[in-house]
């Protein structure tokens, strides 16, 4: 008690009212649970026990006969010294002194006692007595200690937590932030306090945070993934947890715990990117194509619209790669990917499947628009590619399938686009072609078709037809082109345009080609035995056959077995077979060494090189029917045809025009001094028997 509150008494031994004194003693000293002791202050800093209630005697380990003794007489020396220190402090300060003692009771339990020492003064404000009131506060102290420990633990968890922790009120105003919040967001504590939590939320995540806050204020803790915004507009991908703050059973705010997942998210995105993209070009890869194609099929079915799948590769890429090296090949692929990304059309996606194979997915466009888009792709390659300071010209070939006409599932669309690409390769490269649905109608099961093709030789299903080549000056026929036909027991007569690409793809073209060589040589031997000794037959050799190192030996063996001169046989190759200049030159010289006549088929449809005409031992150029067809109405076709004829004559080569169907075309070719022609105007390809009956008798 303060000095103002001290009670003043003159002499406790002489109360004016004995009844009142007895009542006071009974209430304050007997009925109360506190331990009460009164000591008289004497000169020399001595203190004498005057009174103690029962609980006071028990607590101080005193007896009633100790009343009247000095404190130093009643208590052990050290304990007395400890207490005298506090009693003297009361006299010196004339104020209440409070101290705590921890005492171990009989069962070893420790208890905490609080003692309050209050001086009782006279009218001169001199302290004559000191009242000691001691109270057992063990339970209160324990609760207080627990509370302090809990508070310290809580503060430690908040302060040292690696996650950002906000406390906000029910309106979202920030009340407190921990150090991790400041580090994560890049703001000081003062810059964040009293601001709305929504000031730090990305616009896309505002609705999510509002939902989370609303549910939390209803008493439901929430978890959500969202995006916050830090200093300098830095996006932070986080996992957010909220807990309601409850005081007296009322929700007064929210704890928001924010874990930064930006690094994990970036790693996940990086792994996902690597899984879905080509590492060289950065384009989508095959896995991405299959996923996107499935989605596009479902979307296009729902919207009842078309889309196109373009399958593209780079012509002569293998030769380019082998000649200049894989590093230069990689540069070419990267530059190709970059150019394909510059096309001015929305919503298309480009994929690299591997090697030089690219696929373009073009949703929501009709065939006419796809045609124009494909022309734009070809135009991209008109500009040379700069590789190591040198310009190189390359061309693409493109096969196209349309949904739903050419397939309603991923596998069929890819296969049909690839099939169309193979047809482009067969027809000279450097252009595009849509898949032809008639092939699909004729052979819906290509696996079955392949199975039959593998047994065609064994089942004796192949037959050779021959198309006459007419000498336009004399009208005589001494040369023929051999053309393979397949009469299948299940499918009937199968057009070459259907089974030749499959034979190329499966490698069956090698044994089939060898069969053709032996069959033609056998027929030539038969005709020679019948007296037709000056006949020559041209055999088409596929690019794969042309790469066979033992091709000259195969031909030489067939000639020897049938006792034929090499001049009876002509080998017809396409420009595409000569892409690998070194290998082609070697093969041609080996064939010429035998004495074989060499002709180039479909001349002018590919990217013809005057250089190979000069270097290669070529005997005959065959003008493609695409030029012959319109020479009477198209000035450019007429000019090209005349140029080829003139060029061949100057190089000492013979010229044969293909696909001649009308008399006017014949007259034009005669006037242009073309040596030979073949086509339906003269004769369709017919059997050897018909040749004997209608041609050789002349």
């Amino acid at each position: 008690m303060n000095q103002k509150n001290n009670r003043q008494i003159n002499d406790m031994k002489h109360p004016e009212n004995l009844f009142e004194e007895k009542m006071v003693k009974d209430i304050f000293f007997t009925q109360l649970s506190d331990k009460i002791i009164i000591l008289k202050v004497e000169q020399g800093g001595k203190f004498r026990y005057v009174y103690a209630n029962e609980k006071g005697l028990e607590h101080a380990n005193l007896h009633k006969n100790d009343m009247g003794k000095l404190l130093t007489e009643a208590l052990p020396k050290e304990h007395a010294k400890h207490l005298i220190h506090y009693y003297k402090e009361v006299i010196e300060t004339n104020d209440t002194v409070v101290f705590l003692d921890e005492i171990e009771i009989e069962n070893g339990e420790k208890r905490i006692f609080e003692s309050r020492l209050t001086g009782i003064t006279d009218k001169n404000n001199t302290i004559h007595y000191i009242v000691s009131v001691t109270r057992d506060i063990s339970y209160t102290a324990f609760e207080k200690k627990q509370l302090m420990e809990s508070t310290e633990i809580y503060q430690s968890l908040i302060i040292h937590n690696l996650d950002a922790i906000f406390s906000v009120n029910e309106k979202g105003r920030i009340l407190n932030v921990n150090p991790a919040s400041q580090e994560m967001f890049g703001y000081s504590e003062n810059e964040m306090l009293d601001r709305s939590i929504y000031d730090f939320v990305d616009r896309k995540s505002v609705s999510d945070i509002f939902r989370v806050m609303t549910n939390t204020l209803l008493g439901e803790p929430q978890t959500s993934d969202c995006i916050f915004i830090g200093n300098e507009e830095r996006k932070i991908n986080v996992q957010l947890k909220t807990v309601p703050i409850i005081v007296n059973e009322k929700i007064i705010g929210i704890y928001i715990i924010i874990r930064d997942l930006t690094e994990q998210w970036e790693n996940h995105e990086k792994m996902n990117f690597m899984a879905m993209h080509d590492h060289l070009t950065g384009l989508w890869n095959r896995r991405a194509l299959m996923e996107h194609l499935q989605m596009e099929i479902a979307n296009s079915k729902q919207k009842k619209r078309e889309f196109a799948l373009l399958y593209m590769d780079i012509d002569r890429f293998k030769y380019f790669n082998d000649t200049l090296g894989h590093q230069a090949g990689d540069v070419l692929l990267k530059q190709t990917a970059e150019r394909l990304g510059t096309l001015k059309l929305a919503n298309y996606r480009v994929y690299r499947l591997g090697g030089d194979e690219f696929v373009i997915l073009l949703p929501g466009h009709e065939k006419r628009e796809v045609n124009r888009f494909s022309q734009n792709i070809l135009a991209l390659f008109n500009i040379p590619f700069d590789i190591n300071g040198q310009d190189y010209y390359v061309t693409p070939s493109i096969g196209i399938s349309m949904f739903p006409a050419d397939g309603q599932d991923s596998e069929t669309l890819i296969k049909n686009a690839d099939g169309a690409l193979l047809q482009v390769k067969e027809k000279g490269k450097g252009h595009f072609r849509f898949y032809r649905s008639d092939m699909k109608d004729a052979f819906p099961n290509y696996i079955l078709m392949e199975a039959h093709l593998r047994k065609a030789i064994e089942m004796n299903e192949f037959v050779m037809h021959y198309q006459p080549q007419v000498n336009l000056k004399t009208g005589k026929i001494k040369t023929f082109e051999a053309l393979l036909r397949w009469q299948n027991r299940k499918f009937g007569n199968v057009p070459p345009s259907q089974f030749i690409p499959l034979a190329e793809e499966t490698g069956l073209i090698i044994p089939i080609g060898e069969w053709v060589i032996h069959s033609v040589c056998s027929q030539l031997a038969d005709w020679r035995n019948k007296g037709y000794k000056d006949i020559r037959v041209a055999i088409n050799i596929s690019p794969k056959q042309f790469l066979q190192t033992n091709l000259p030996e195969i031909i030489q063996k067939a000639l020897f077995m049938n006792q034929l001169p090499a001049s009876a046989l002509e080998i017809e190759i396409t420009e595409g077979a000569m892409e690998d200049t070194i290998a082609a030159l070697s093969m041609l010289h080996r064939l010429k060494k035998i004495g074989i006549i060499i002709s180039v088929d479909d001349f002018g449809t590919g990217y013809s090189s005057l250089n190979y005409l000069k270097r290669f031992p070529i005997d005959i150029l065959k003008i493609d029917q695409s030029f012959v067809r319109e020479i009477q109405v198209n000035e450019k076709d007429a000019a090209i045809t005349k140029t080829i004829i003139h060029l061949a004559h100057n190089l000492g080569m013979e010229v044969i025009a293909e696909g001649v169907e009308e008399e006017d075309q014949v007259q034009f070719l005669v006037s242009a001094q073309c040596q030979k022609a073949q086509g339906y105007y003269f004769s369709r390809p017919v059997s050897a028997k018909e040749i004997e009956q209608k041609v050789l008798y002349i």
Side-chain angles (χ1 to χ4, degrees):
M1 298 173 62
N2 294 330
Q3 183 176 348
K4 294 180 181 180
N5 298 325
N6 291 341
R7 295 177 298 161
Q8 297 182 3
I9 60 172
N10 292 323
D11 192 346
M12 291 198 61
K13 291 184 179 180
H14 303 287
E16 296 179 357
N17 193 319
L18 293 176
F19 176 77
E20 290 180 0
E21 179 183 353
K22 185 176 183 302
M23 182 178 66
V24 169
K25 284 184 177 181
D26 184 56
I27 293 173
F28 289 96
F29 299 147
T30 305
Q31 301 298 324
L32 293 177
S33 61
D34 293 338
K35 300 148 184 68
I36 301 174
I37 298 175
I38 301 175
L39 292 93
K40 187 176 185 303
V41 179
E42 297 185 353
Q43 291 183 355
K46 297 180 180 180
F47 303 93
R48 189 180 298 278
Y49 284 107
V50 175
Y51 178 81
N53 66 356
E54 292 293 332
K55 291 181 175 59
L57 292 172
E58 181 181 355
H59 175 72
N61 199 20
L62 297 172
H63 301 283
K64 287 184 179 182
N65 56 10
D66 288 326
M67 295 300 100
K69 292 181 181 180
L70 291 174
L71 186 147
T72 53
E73 296 173 340
L75 297 178
K77 183 178 179 181
E78 290 298 322
H79 187 40
K81 183 180 178 181
H82 169 70
L83 293 176
I84 287 172
H85 167 76
Y86 294 110
Y87 284 107
K88 285 184 177 180
E89 187 178 346
V90 174
I91 294 171
E92 292 171 359
T93 62
N94 203 10
D95 201 355
T96 299
V97 174
V98 180
F99 65 92
L100 300 177
D101 284 316
E102 188 175 285
I103 299 174
E104 185 175 329
I105 58 179
E106 294 179 359
N107 59 3
E109 182 183 353
K110 291 183 178 181
R111 308 298 293 274
I112 298 175
F113 294 92
E114 179 187 72
S115 297
R116 302 178 68 87
L117 306 182
T118 305
I120 300 176
T121 62
D122 59 14
K123 61 183 179 180
N124 296 320
N125 205 28
T126 301
I127 297 176
H128 292 281
Y129 294 90
I130 296 177
V131 178
S132 172
V133 179
T134 302
R135 181 174 297 170
D136 187 345
I137 63 167
S138 300
Y139 183 73
T140 304
F142 176 74
E143 284 187 326
K144 186 175 181 181
K145 183 180 179 182
Q146 277 194 322
L147 180 60
M148 290 178 63
E149 289 179 351
S150 297
T151 302
E152 289 175 359
I153 291 172
Y154 165 77
Q155 290 295 335
S156 180
L157 287 172
I158 296 293
I159 292 172
H160 300 292
N161 204 306
L162 297 177
D163 295 331
I165 301 177
F166 292 77
S167 62
V168 301
N169 63 16
E170 66 276 8
K171 293 183 179 179
R173 286 283 168 186
I174 299 173
L175 305 176
N176 286 293
V177 297
N178 69 342
S181 303
Q182 302 167 50
E183 183 178 349
M184 183 183 297
F185 286 84
Y187 293 105
S188 67
E189 183 178 8
N190 290 335
E191 289 175 316
M192 301 177 79
L193 293 179
D194 202 37
R195 291 180 64 181
S196 171
I197 189 67
Y198 294 102
D199 291 345
F200 303 95
V201 177
D202 183 76
R203 184 178 301 175
K204 295 179 181 178
S205 296
V206 168
S207 59
D208 287 337
I209 300 300
F210 181 79
R211 173 183 53 79
V212 165
M213 296 278 288
T214 302
N215 291 338
T216 306
L217 289 172
L218 295 175
E220 301 176 8
Q222 300 286 298
T223 301
S224 179
D225 292 334
C226 52
I227 301 174
F228 275 68
I229 302 296
N231 195 12
E232 298 180 352
E233 300 299 315
R234 178 172 51 90
K235 289 190 176 183
I236 309 170
N237 293 273
V238 308
Q239 182 184 71
L240 175 144
K241 294 182 179 180
T242 59
V243 179
I245 302 174
I246 303 174
V247 177
N248 296 326
E249 300 183 355
K250 182 181 179 182
I251 297 175
I252 62 169
I254 299 172
Y255 285 120
I256 301 176
I257 305 167
I258 301 171
R259 175 162 296 178
D260 187 349
L261 299 180
T262 303
E263 184 176 352
Q264 294 93 316
W265 183 84
E266 288 176 348
N267 289 337
H268 174 75
E269 286 297 303
K270 185 177 180 180
M271 291 178 64
N272 186 57
F273 182 90
M274 292 174 64
M276 300 290 282
H277 288 77
D278 172 53
H279 72 280
L280 177 65
T281 63
L283 296 175
W284 297 102
N285 60 15
R286 183 182 295 272
R287 177 180 173 183
L289 171 64
M290 300 310 294
E291 288 190 15
H292 296 167
L293 195 49
Q294 290 281 6
M295 290 188 289
E296 186 56 43
I297 288 172
N299 193 31
S300 296
K301 282 182 179 179
Q302 183 180 7
K303 295 182 179 180
K304 297 182 179 179
R305 69 180 187 186
E306 292 182 289
F307 72 83
L309 187 143
L310 290 74
Y311 204 123
M312 186 196 94
D313 71 8
I314 300 172
D315 298 331
R316 305 181 68 198
F317 178 75
K318 183 179 184 302
Y319 173 69
F320 182 95
N321 211 31
D322 292 344
T323 304
L324 299 181
H326 293 286
Q327 185 175 1
D330 288 347
V331 173
L332 176 60
L333 292 172
K334 289 179 182 178
Q335 292 187 16
T336 298
E338 291 172 2
R339 292 191 184 187
L340 291 175
T342 63
L343 293 163
K344 296 180 180 180
L345 192 66
N347 300 327
Y348 74 93
R349 285 181 171 179
V350 185
Y351 307 80
R352 180 182 176 228
L353 303 191
D356 64 324
E357 294 180 326
F358 296 85
V359 166
I360 300 174
L361 196 58
L362 189 59
H365 293 279
E366 298 177 350
K367 197 168 184 177
R368 176 177 52 83
E369 297 168 315
V370 178
N371 190 303
R372 185 164 55 249
F373 181 78
S374 302
Q375 290 174 346
N376 292 337
I377 294 177
L378 297 181
L380 292 175
F381 291 80
N382 291 336
I383 303 171
F385 288 81
D386 182 355
I387 299 176
N388 298 327
Q390 178 65 47
D391 287 347
Y392 293 93
Y393 287 88
V394 297
T395 58
S397 292
I398 306 168
I400 308 167
S401 60
M402 298 291 300
F403 173 90
D406 301 330
Q408 299 189 34
D409 60 81
S410 302
E411 182 181 356
T412 304
L413 287 166
I414 293 173
K415 181 180 67 177
N416 289 344
D418 188 29
L421 174 61
L422 289 175
Q423 294 178 12
V424 173
K425 294 292 189 183
E426 285 294 312
K427 295 298 181 180
K429 307 180 178 63
H431 59 286
F432 63 89
R433 185 168 186 170
F434 287 89
Y435 174 73
R436 294 194 324 191
S437 59
D438 59 338
M439 179 183 290
K440 177 182 175 183
D441 294 336
F443 288 97
N445 191 333
Y446 287 95
I447 296 176
L448 181 60
M449 177 181 174
E450 180 184 342
H452 279 260
L453 189 60
R454 289 185 180 278
K455 294 183 179 181
I457 295 176
E458 177 187 340
M459 301 300 293
N460 198 28
E461 294 180 344
F462 286 132
V463 63
M464 297 307 303
H465 281 194
Y466 300 87
Q467 187 170 39
Q469 296 173 339
V470 179
N471 187 311
L472 296 177
K473 187 174 183 180
T474 65
K476 293 183 178 181
I477 300 173
K478 297 295 183 180
T479 57
F480 302 86
E481 180 180 358
L483 298 165
L484 182 64
R485 297 293 183 259
W486 181 21
Q487 297 174 346
N488 181 258
R489 62 192 183 280
K490 177 176 178 63
F491 302 108
N493 292 326
V494 183
S497 60
Q498 293 180 353
F499 72 82
I500 293 297
L502 181 59
E504 287 275 5
E505 183 181 350
T506 59
L508 292 173
I509 196 68
I510 302 300
I512 292 174
E514 189 171 342
W515 181 90
V516 168
I517 292 171
H518 283 281
S519 178
V520 169
C521 287
S522 177
Q523 184 61 60
L524 277 168
D526 182 59
W527 281 337
R528 288 178 71 85
N529 290 333
K530 293 178 179 179
Y532 309 111
K533 297 184 181 297
D534 55 351
I535 294 175
R536 186 177 76 232
V537 175
I539 299 174
N540 288 284
I541 298 295
S542 78
K544 284 191 176 181
Q545 282 180 277
F546 193 66
L547 294 176
Q548 278 185 278
T549 56
N550 64 338
L551 177 63
E553 287 75 19
I554 292 172
I555 294 174
Q556 200 166 20
K557 181 181 178 181
L559 291 172
F560 176 78
M561 290 176 61
N562 292 280
Q563 298 182 351
L564 294 174
S567 58
L569 202 62
E570 176 185 325
I571 297 302
E572 196 171 294
I573 59 176
T574 62
E575 293 179 54
M578 295 182 288
E579 286 182 353
D580 188 340
T581 308
I582 297 175
L585 189 60
S586 174
M587 178 60 72
L588 290 173
H589 279 306
R590 290 173 65 193
L591 292 172
K592 289 302 294 181
K593 189 175 181 180
I594 298 172
I596 302 297
I597 305 298
I598 306 296
S599 64
V600 177
D601 191 20
D602 300 334
F603 184 78
T605 57
Y607 282 79
S608 306
S609 170
L610 297 180
N611 184 53
Y612 80 65
L613 290 180
K614 179 184 73 172
R615 296 178 60 193
F616 292 172
I618 298 170
D619 302 297
I620 301 169
L621 292 184
K622 299 189 72 174
I623 303 173
D624 187 70
Q625 61 181 337
S626 61
F627 299 114
V628 175
R629 187 180 300 118
E630 296 186 5
I631 54 177
Q632 294 297 89
V633 294
N634 189 312
E635 293 182 0
K636 289 185 178 180
D637 284 344
I640 290 172
T641 302
K642 287 181 179 179
T643 300
I644 294 173
I645 295 170
H646 182 68
L647 175 66
H649 287 170
N650 288 336
L651 293 174
M653 299 177 186
E654 185 178 293
V655 183
I656 301 175
E658 295 183 291
V660 178
E661 297 182 355
E662 299 176 5
E663 185 176 354
D664 288 346
Q665 295 170 347
V666 175
Q667 295 302 321
F668 176 90
L669 293 169
V670 169
S671 65
Q673 298 183 348
C674 179
Q675 286 101 327
K676 293 181 181 179
Q678 68 183 83
Y680 285 4
Y681 177 79
F682 304 106
S683 172
R684 293 174 177 271
V686 294
S687 68
K689 185 177 181 180
E690 288 181 272
I691 292 294
E692 292 179 17
Q693 293 174 347
K694 298 180 180 180
V695 178
L696 296 182
Y697 73 90
I698 298 175

